[in-house]
């Protein structure tokens, strides 16, 4: 949704049909999930609880939702069918925040929350709570929402209860935001919200095992996956072991496949197989393939999710892929041009196109005409010392891994090489020492 996107009141979404891209109904919106933050910062909208046709309630992240309108919600079509389970830092907008008594900051007057508005942030996929619609006076709670619709005064459904209604900024009310002096994982997680994953991992490493488990339980899957990738192996195994198995599988799916494979290799065989079985088949297949290679080889180091394009893709297509927010800088440094299929293992690997070359050519140029085919790719069995020499010789931050048949298997990035060159306990040492920037 573009900048200046319309404000949407959540009561308009209750019970609304959810469709996949081809128009088939997935289910109906049951609630919306937000994460409260410290002080008066507007909560971030995480996703929607959707009641699918089997009457199971599942969670659909906002990143999987491509259209939100009064009357329908459109998803990418990829819906995790595991049952929704609310976490400590999450709040249900319809089920927990509506009808709540809160206080106007300016006057100290108690008001009742009738509705909450959400809005997508400009030029981003993130959503936040934007406004709060409240009623003055001590009128009772709204009528039961048996149909998923809310009877609001301004929609002709409750004006007889009396009391002036007004729409205010989230920061203008207090009573359901996290308090700064609050206890428990909620406040801790909110405090850590802006930390980089590596910095949050460093904090978690120095907490007690009990506290570490509480914080891990309160983090959402993507954030926990990012943090796990930065923790020592012992901490990774400990945290994963304290999660419910279904959630552990969700977190493994959210991790980079190579990091998930490394973590699973640290687990007993029976537990490893159980978690792989719970993962989505495509994700599990990628991880199993990586686990088949020796750890200190190109195959063991690589990720199976580089940017792969067909030769008839344009420079504009390539730059759109490079701009994806979830990509690491190393993976975004170049694209790999291959014959179909364009998911690893691909068809015939043709070569790479570096990001700088993409910036120098017109958007309509075909990437097949720009490939650098002179750089020899790595084989999956290339040992770590040879991989290191290869990166140094060609001044690379990422390199293709290709099998004997010429198919691209994945890409090795410089951060994975460094992980295996540094001492085993490097993550456990303090890196903010004297002489280090930020120390």
């Amino acid at each position: 949704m573009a900048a200046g996107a319309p404000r949407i009141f959540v009561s308009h979404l209750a019970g609304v049909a959810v469709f996949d891209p081809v128009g088939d109904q997935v289910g109906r919106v049951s609630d919306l999930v937000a994460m409260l933050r410290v002080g008066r910062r507007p909560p971030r909208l995480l996703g929607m609880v959707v009641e699918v046709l089997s009457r199971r309630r599942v969670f659909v992240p906002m990143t999987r939702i491509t259209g939100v309108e009064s009357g329908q919600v459109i998803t990418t079509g990829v819906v995790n069918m595991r049952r929704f389970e609310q976490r400590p830092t999450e709040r249900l907008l319809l089920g927990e925040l509506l009808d709540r008594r809160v206080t106007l900051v300016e006057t100290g007057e108690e008001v009742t929350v009738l509705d909450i508005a959400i809005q997508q942030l400009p030029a981003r996929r993130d959503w936040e709570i934007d406004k709060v619609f409240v009623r003055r006076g001590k009128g009772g709670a709204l009528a039961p929402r048996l149909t998923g619709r809310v009877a609001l005064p301004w929609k002709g459904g409750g004006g007889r209860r009396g009391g002036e209604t007004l729409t205010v900024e989230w920061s203008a009310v207090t009573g359901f935001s996290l308090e700064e002096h609050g206890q428990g994982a909620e406040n801790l997680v909110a405090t850590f919200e802006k930390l980089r994953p590596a910095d949050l991992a460093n904090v978690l490493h120095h907490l007690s095992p009990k506290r570490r488990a509480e914080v891990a339980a309160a983090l959402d899957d993507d954030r926990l996956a990012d943090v796990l990738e930065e923790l020592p192996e012992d901490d990774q195994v400990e945290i994963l072991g304290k999660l419910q198995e279904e959630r552990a599988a969700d977190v493994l799916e959210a991790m980079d496949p190579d990091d998930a494979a490394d973590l699973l290799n640290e687990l007993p065989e029976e537990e490893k197989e159980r978690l792989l079985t719970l993962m989505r088949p495509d994700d599990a297949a990628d991880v199993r393939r990586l686990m088949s290679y020796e750890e200190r080889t190109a195959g063991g180091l690589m990720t199976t999710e580089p940017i792969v394009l067909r030769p008839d893709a344009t420079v504009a297509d390539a730059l759109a892929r490079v701009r994806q927010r979830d990509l690491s800088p190393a993976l975004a440094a170049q694209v790999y041009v291959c014959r179909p299929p364009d998911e690893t293992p691909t068809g015939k690997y043709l070569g790479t196109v570096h990001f700088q070359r993409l910036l120098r050519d017109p958007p309509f140029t075909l990437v097949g005409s720009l490939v650098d085919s002179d750089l020899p790719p790595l084989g999956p069995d290339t040992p770590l010392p040879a991989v290191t020499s290869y990166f140094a010789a060609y001044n690379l931050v990422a390199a293709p891994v290709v099998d004997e048949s010429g198919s691209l298997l994945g890409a090795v990035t410089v951060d994975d090489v460094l992980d295996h060159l540094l001492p085993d306990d490097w993550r456990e040492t303090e890196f903010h020492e004297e002489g280090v920037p930020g120390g």
Side-chain angles (χ1 to χ4, degrees):
M1 193 174 291
R7 183 177 301 126
I8 299 171
F9 281 89
V10 297
S11 65
H12 289 191
L13 297 173
V16 162
V18 179
F19 298 93
D20 65 17
V22 299
D24 293 329
Q25 186 171 338
V26 176
R28 291 190 175 275
V29 176
S30 175
D31 216 317
L32 294 92
V33 184
M35 176 181 287
L36 299 186
R37 299 194 275 195
V38 167
R40 298 177 187 171
R41 297 179 60 199
R44 183 166 65 93
L45 193 65
L46 301 179
M48 297 184 180
V49 182
V50 175
E51 185 177 282
V52 296
L53 301 182
S54 64
R55 303 197 63 80
R56 176 189 293 263
R57 296 204 324 158
V58 302
F59 178 73
V60 180
M62 293 307 292
T63 53
R64 299 278 176 88
I65 293 172
T66 58
V68 180
E69 302 171 8
S70 294
Q72 66 177 9
V73 172
I74 309 297
T75 74
T76 60
V78 181
V79 176
N80 189 329
M81 297 303 291
R82 293 198 179 100
R83 193 178 301 277
F84 168 70
E85 292 184 7
Q86 188 177 355
R87 293 176 188 153
T89 53
E90 296 172 353
R91 294 293 180 271
L92 299 177
L93 300 193
L94 294 172
E96 296 182 66
L97 298 192
L98 296 195
D99 306 332
R100 187 164 182 155
R101 298 289 292 172
V102 294
T103 303
L104 293 176
V105 173
E106 186 174 350
T107 64
E109 179 185 2
E110 277 201 348
V111 292
T112 301
V113 178
L114 301 182
D115 211 345
I116 290 173
I118 58 173
Q119 193 168 34
Q120 191 172 24
L121 300 181
R124 295 174 60 184
R125 292 187 298 173
D126 290 347
W127 290 71
E128 282 186 348
I129 288 180
D130 178 46
K131 304 279 187 180
V132 185
F133 182 66
V134 300
R135 182 182 61 232
R136 288 190 164 112
K138 296 185 177 181
L142 295 177
R145 292 181 289 277
L146 298 178
T147 64
R149 298 290 182 179
V150 183
L152 297 178
W154 51 280
K155 293 196 285 188
R160 287 192 299 272
R161 280 192 247 269
E164 179 189 359
T165 59
L166 61 156
T167 302
V168 298
E169 300 286 344
W170 172 268
S171 59
V173 297
T174 184
F176 43 27
S177 185
L178 294 177
E179 298 294 335
E180 293 192 30
H181 59 272
Q183 299 296 312
E186 295 182 6
N187 191 44
L188 201 54
V189 168
T191 303
F192 294 157
E193 184 180 13
K194 292 187 176 181
L195 290 183
R196 291 177 180 269
D199 296 328
L200 179 52
N202 191 44
V203 172
L204 258 66
H205 176 68
H206 291 93
L207 295 175
S208 68
K210 175 181 177 294
R211 198 71 179 124
R212 190 156 49 235
E214 290 170 349
V215 174
L219 294 170
D220 63 53
D221 291 346
D222 290 336
R223 179 71 158 157
L224 180 55
D226 290 341
V227 171
L228 279 178
E229 291 171 3
E230 304 296 337
L231 280 168
E233 290 175 353
D234 289 347
D235 289 345
Q236 290 180 334
V237 172
E238 173 198 300
I239 290 172
L240 198 71
K242 292 182 178 179
L243 301 177
Q244 292 185 352
E245 285 189 342
E246 286 194 348
R247 194 193 173 201
D250 288 342
V251 172
L252 288 167
E253 290 169 357
M255 294 177 69
D256 288 338
D258 53 322
D259 291 307
D262 290 343
L263 174 50
L264 283 168
N265 275 327
E266 299 298 317
L267 303 179
E269 194 66 29
E270 183 178 341
E271 185 178 352
K272 179 196 309 181
E273 283 302 317
R274 193 160 55 245
L275 290 172
L276 283 166
T277 302
L278 288 171
M279 293 172 65
R280 288 192 294 263
D282 288 349
D283 292 323
D286 284 343
V287 173
R288 287 183 189 277
R289 183 152 51 90
L290 290 169
M291 291 168 62
S292 69
Y293 297 108
E294 293 293 330
E295 181 181 2
R296 298 174 73 82
T297 64
L301 296 171
M302 70 181 179
T303 177
T304 57
E305 298 177 344
I307 302 176
V308 179
L309 294 172
R310 301 183 183 187
D312 58 353
T314 64
V315 165
D317 296 329
L319 290 174
R321 294 285 300 277
V322 166
R323 281 196 293 268
Q324 290 178 359
R325 294 174 57 198
D326 296 338
L327 283 175
S328 68
L331 281 181
Q334 58 196 37
V335 301
Y336 302 89
V337 183
C338 305
R339 300 288 183 193
D342 47 9
E343 292 185 0
T344 58
T346 68
K348 182 176 175 57
Y349 166 73
L350 301 178
T352 62
V353 183
H354 193 275
F355 173 66
Q356 286 181 319
R357 180 63 191 270
L358 294 173
L359 294 177
R360 291 198 295 264
D361 284 86
F364 54 79
T365 307
L366 299 183
V367 295
S369 66
L370 305 178
V371 294
D372 177 3
S373 56
D374 295 333
L375 184 69
L378 295 167
D381 298 322
T382 305
L384 178 60
V387 173
T388 304
S389 298
Y390 178 92
F391 270 75
Y394 296 110
N395 298 316
L396 298 175
V397 294
V401 180
V402 175
D403 65 13
E404 293 180 354
S405 68
S407 297
L408 180 72
L409 300 177
V412 177
T413 57
V414 67
D415 54 311
D416 289 318
V417 175
L418 288 173
D419 279 349
H420 287 76
L421 289 177
L422 291 167
D424 291 340
D425 63 347
W426 75 269
R427 294 185 187 277
E428 303 179 44
T429 59
E430 294 289 347
F431 51 85
H432 294 300
E433 296 174 353
E434 185 177 355
V436 179

